[in-house]
Amino acid sequence: MKNMTIKRLFLGFFPCLLLFCGCTDTDDLRADVDSLKKRIVELERGMEQFNTSIESLSYLLSDKRIVGISPVDKGYRVEFSDGHSLSVVSGDVQDALFPRIGINADGNWIYSTDKGQNYALLTDAGGHPVSAYPASTGGTPVKSPQMRISADGYWQVSYDGGSTYTDLLNGGQRVAAFPSSGTSAASVFSSVHYDAAKQLLSVTLAAGGKRLELPVLNTFFLHIKGAGEEQVFPLGELRCYEVEQSEVNEAMIQAPEGWEVKLTEDELRIQAPRKTDAERKEEIRIVITSPQDFIRIVKMDVKLLSTGFYENACTAWNEFANKQSGNVLLDFSYAGYKHGEVSPPDVNTLNYKIYDITQYGAVANDGISDRAAFIRVLEAMGAKRGKDSDAIRYQMGSANAIIYFPEGEFILQGAGENNTPLRLTMNNLIIKGAGRDKTTIRMAVENTLTDPSKLWSSPVMLEIKHNSGLSDLTDVTGDAAKGSFSVEVSSAAGISAGDWVCLHLKNTDPVLIRKELHPYTPQAYMTNLHNVGVQVYDYHQVKTVSGNTLTFVEPIMHEVEAQWGWKIQKYPHYENIGVEDLA
């Protein structure tokens, strides 16, 4: 806070620096100046942290409920029921001695300038103690104290939001911010911890070590899945996001000029402006209220480009869009999570249980296999062990779990464990690390080839898959063009909307082989093609079933001619599997 004041403090040192160092090497002088500039930046950030922590403590002591919490560096971003949000963090260590600010048994602000040995009351201009709780003095609302460092390097305090400041005193003497030595953390909190299972935010005050535990209401929210970071929009782009909400009574959208934003029960649709003079960054806000009149503000950072898509400049695209005979592109616009129509959710919004592997015996960077700890996690999740011929299988229906690997290297296959893959068969499972450059999972011992003549025959370390293959459901009885969405079948019995199936062809007929290879000619050395035949596996989710007509969500990727023996097959699978933030 008060950046200009701090800058004057350090600039005031420069003449002396030039006086005593005028004969030194220019490079040394430049290094000293750069060091001072760096110290200014760090101290500015520390002052902001310190004042924010004081304001946060005041809010934690108020009657405002905590309705949202998300991790940030050294703590959490906390949302209160009046729509206000603040960072509650333990603070960076600074090359300055910050006063220890706390509250006494009477609920008044106190401070120490000797690392907690002695405390004094913070008093206003009239000499009255200042309450740490929302209150009034003489009819005037009391604001949280705000600290700064004066131009000559002494601590000052304000009780009116920074309009006026008075010196902080210790025994009648001004308190220096930069004694000859010493460092301190720029926060009133010595530790901050959130227990998601108990829904409790715990903070410990640096002054006196007092511990506060505050309940967190986690049932009032609106989550925009896949929108955790800045979203970049070309001109005129329409984008849809999956939304999850709970206990939302009303929602009000605040969008910058030109943005069209519409919210439904389960979807947020955003249309970017169609023109702009320059690239710009903006913020879309959704203010939600609960039946108890609690308020939360959901924010999305957006960046609008000054250009749009120029797909019409591409010949291949034009041939595809106009369905011309020369088109070579397949329509993969429905590929991916939820057919590519919504962004994948942020794992923190899934309400899955988090299993930290280090809580089950794994130790990062110790060079010892963590396979046993990983198995203990699977067992804690409720997975049942089975034995396949080529793997050890752990199976359950829906895991609803996040297996978390903190920062460091973990070994899932060590000596004596090679050639025995772990096979996971379950829905709704996320394996998550601390970041792509922070968490690594590796094999300490390579799997050996089961067939030395086949380089691809080495078993894997870990696989997530269904444990059974495709099986026939019904025959396809009608032709369908590539790019269409429906096929006729002999019977739709046992097939329902939402099912996943495989549109499958396997045929060795020489006429079909020649047609598929055209304009090339089949050769004798193409033994697999002649012996096994043409094979097509086209996976689809069934959108509707009407009589014996199946309509898919995605377009058909290959021309279907019923004469070649196309079939609809059952496709056993598991859904909502994610691996992220690790190498």
Side-chain angles (χ1 to χ4, degrees), residues 371 411-414 417-420 442-445 447 461:
R371 184 187 182 102
I411 297 172
L412 287 192
Q413 188 159 294
E417 298 167 343
N418 57 318
N419 279 33
T420 311
R442 74 179 185 92
M443 303 168 69
V445 179
N447 279 331
M461 173 179 68

Side-chain angles (χ1 to χ4, degrees), residues 34 166 169 197 243 357 392 417 423 440 458 514 559 562 576:
D34 290 342
T166 57
L169 302 177
V243 167
I357 193 170
I392 297 175
E417 298 167 343
R423 176 172 295 154
T440 301
S458 175
R514 285 195 298 271
E559 178 190 22
N576 302 324

Side-chain angles (χ1 to χ4, degrees), residues 220 222 245 247-253 263 286-291 293-296:
F220 168 45
L222 186 148
Q245 53 182 299
E247 297 185 11
V248 176
N249 190 39
E250 292 183 347
M252 180 179 66
I253 296 172
L263 176 67
I286 304 175
V287 182
I288 60 174
T289 59
S290 73
D293 290 329
F294 294 158
I295 299 173
R296 289 190 72 175

Side-chain angles (χ1 to χ4, degrees), residues 240-243 262-269 341-342:
C240 300
Y241 296 87
E242 186 176 354
V243 167
K262 183 179 180 180
L263 176 67
T264 63
E265 186 69 25
D266 55 8
E267 183 181 71
L268 178 69
R269 296 171 66 87
E341 295 176 336
V342 298

Side-chain angles (χ1 to χ4, degrees), residues 123 307 328 409 436 438 473 561 576:
T123 56
T307 57
V328 296
E409 181 181 87
R436 61 178 295 182
K438 297 180 178 180
L473 286 174
E561 292 182 274
N576 302 324

Side-chain angles (χ1 to χ4, degrees), residues 11-278:
L11 289 172
F13 295 159
F14 287 170
C16 294
L17 180 68
L18 292 172
L19 174 65
F20 293 107
C21 303
C23 298
T24 63
D25 188 86
T26 304
D27 291 340
D28 292 338
L29 177 60
R30 184 177 295 111
D32 290 339
V33 172
D34 290 342
S35 177
L36 284 173
K37 288 180 179 178
K38 181 179 179 181
R39 189 178 180 190
I40 290 171
V41 172
E42 291 176 349
L43 186 57
E44 287 175 350
R45 182 169 183 265
M47 288 299 303
E48 183 176 357
Q49 281 184 343
F50 191 56
N51 283 320
T52 298
S53 73
I54 297 173
E55 185 181 0
S56 300
L57 176 56
S58 181
Y59 249 81
L60 292 176
L61 296 173
S62 72
D63 59 354
K64 305 296 188 295
R65 289 291 304 276
I66 299 176
V67 295
I69 192 164
S70 55
V72 296
D73 186 32
K74 298 185 181 298
Y76 299 90
R77 188 71 178 173
V78 176
E79 298 175 64
F80 297 92
S81 57
D82 62 350
H84 205 71
S85 63
L86 289 165
S87 292
V88 180
V89 299
S90 55
D92 296 319
V93 174
Q94 297 282 319
D95 187 17
L97 286 179
F98 284 79
R100 289 194 181 180
I101 306 292
I103 54 176
N104 64 10
D106 296 325
N108 296 317
W109 288 109
I110 56 174
Y111 71 98
S112 171
T113 59
D114 54 12
K115 297 185 177 182
Q117 296 182 38
N118 299 285
Y119 283 92
L121 288 166
L122 280 175
T123 56
D124 61 17
H128 305 109
V130 180
S131 175
Y133 293 86
S136 296
T137 300
T140 303
V142 175
K143 295 184 178 181
S144 301
Q146 188 170 319
M147 310 296 295
R148 78 173 184 184
I149 300 175
S150 67
D152 54 352
Y154 291 91
W155 283 107
Q156 294 182 320
V157 60
S158 171
Y159 302 106
D160 54 12
S163 297
T164 61
Y165 282 87
T166 57
D167 289 326
L168 193 68
L169 302 177
N170 180 12
Q173 301 298 313
R174 301 172 76 194
V175 178
F178 305 101
S180 58
S181 63
T183 60
S184 58
S187 176
V188 301
F189 306 111
S190 60
S191 69
V192 181
H193 175 70
Y194 175 56
D195 189 325
K198 296 180 180 179
Q199 299 173 34
L200 281 178
L201 174 67
S202 301
V203 297
T204 302
L205 304 187
K210 183 175 181 178
R211 182 182 177 89
L212 304 176
E213 290 191 339
L214 303 118
V216 176
L217 176 68
N218 66 352
T219 56
F220 168 45
F221 59 81
L222 186 148
H223 297 315
I224 305 171
K225 299 184 178 180
E229 299 179 354
E230 181 182 71
Q231 302 294 293
V232 180
F233 285 78
L235 291 175
E237 183 185 10
L238 172 65
R239 195 174 298 176
C240 300
Y241 296 87
E242 186 176 354
V243 167
E244 181 184 7
Q245 53 182 299
S246 173
E247 297 185 11
V248 176
N249 190 39
E250 292 183 347
M252 180 179 66
I253 296 172
Q254 299 173 342
E257 182 178 357
W259 292 85
E260 299 175 15
V261 184
K262 183 179 180 180
L263 176 67
T264 63
E265 186 69 25
D266 55 8
E267 183 181 71
L268 178 69
R269 296 171 66 87
I270 300 177
Q271 176 89 55
R274 292 169 175 78
K275 61 180 181 179
T276 183
D277 295 331

